[in-house]
Amino acid sequence: PAFVAQHFAHGVTTEAIAHAPMMTYDRKDRLQEQWLQRQGLASRQSPPKHFVPSNDGFVRGCEAGMGWGMHPRWLIQRQLGAGTLVELLPGTGMTMPLYWVHARSAQTSLERLTDCVMAAARQWLVPAEKA
């Protein structure tokens, strides 16, 4: 909340976004840029970035006010409820497809792991037809 008050006191605008530090998982992470485009907030000026290739570190960095970033809602539900994290623009989340990919040559040896991943996905993720 303090980060939002400091960087977005006059609203989430293209200019404010261009200057507010942004968290990214790694150099391939484009979720934040995709969200900015969908909100009409993309700018030619790239905001300062912090690369944090750790799920827990990424969340904790945002809680500490290092920057803003995209998180799976289920991962930060507790922080949203406690008010230690807030949405920049409430109700503007994104649905992203996830895929489980592995080499066919390893299919037999990964069968149990694949079953566990699929069971967890059914429990925690929204099916594509409902997204």
Side-chain angles (χ1 to χ4, degrees):
F3 177 88
V4 172
Q6 177 184 354
H7 294 280
F8 303 109
H10 301 291
V12 180
T13 64
T14 303
E15 178 153 339
I17 285 286
H19 294 96
M22 180 173 75
M23 304 288 287
T24 58
Y25 189 80
D26 61 21
R27 297 194 189 287
K28 293 181 181 181
D29 180 4
R30 295 281 175 246
L31 287 176
Q32 289 68 223
E33 286 89 353
Q34 290 173 355
W35 181 80
L36 289 172
Q37 286 183 331
R38 289 183 184 185
Q39 304 314 312
L41 295 168
S43 171
R44 290 184 184 177
Q45 182 177 350
S46 182
K49 294 180 183 177
H50 295 292
F51 296 99
V52 184
S54 157
N55 289 332
D56 185 55
F58 194 97
V59 172
R60 293 172 69 92
C62 287
E63 282 185 293
M66 288 177 57
W68 69 273
M70 303 292 293
H71 306 276
R73 181 170 291 281
W74 61 266
L75 182 65
I76 61 164
Q77 198 64 48
R78 182 178 52 80
Q79 291 89 339
L80 288 172
T84 59
L85 287 178
V86 295
E87 294 183 71
L88 288 184
L89 294 174
T92 62
M94 294 181 358
T95 301
M96 299 301 297
L98 299 176
Y99 303 93
W100 174 246
V101 179
H102 58 79
R104 286 184 188 205
S105 61
Q107 190 165 350
T108 303
S109 60
L110 291 176
E111 189 173 345
R112 179 156 161 51
L113 177 60
T114 297
D115 290 344
C116 290
V117 168
M118 299 308 286
R122 281 189 288 279
Q123 180 181 354
W124 290 98
L125 303 177
V126 176
E129 60 271 5
K130 292 182 183 177

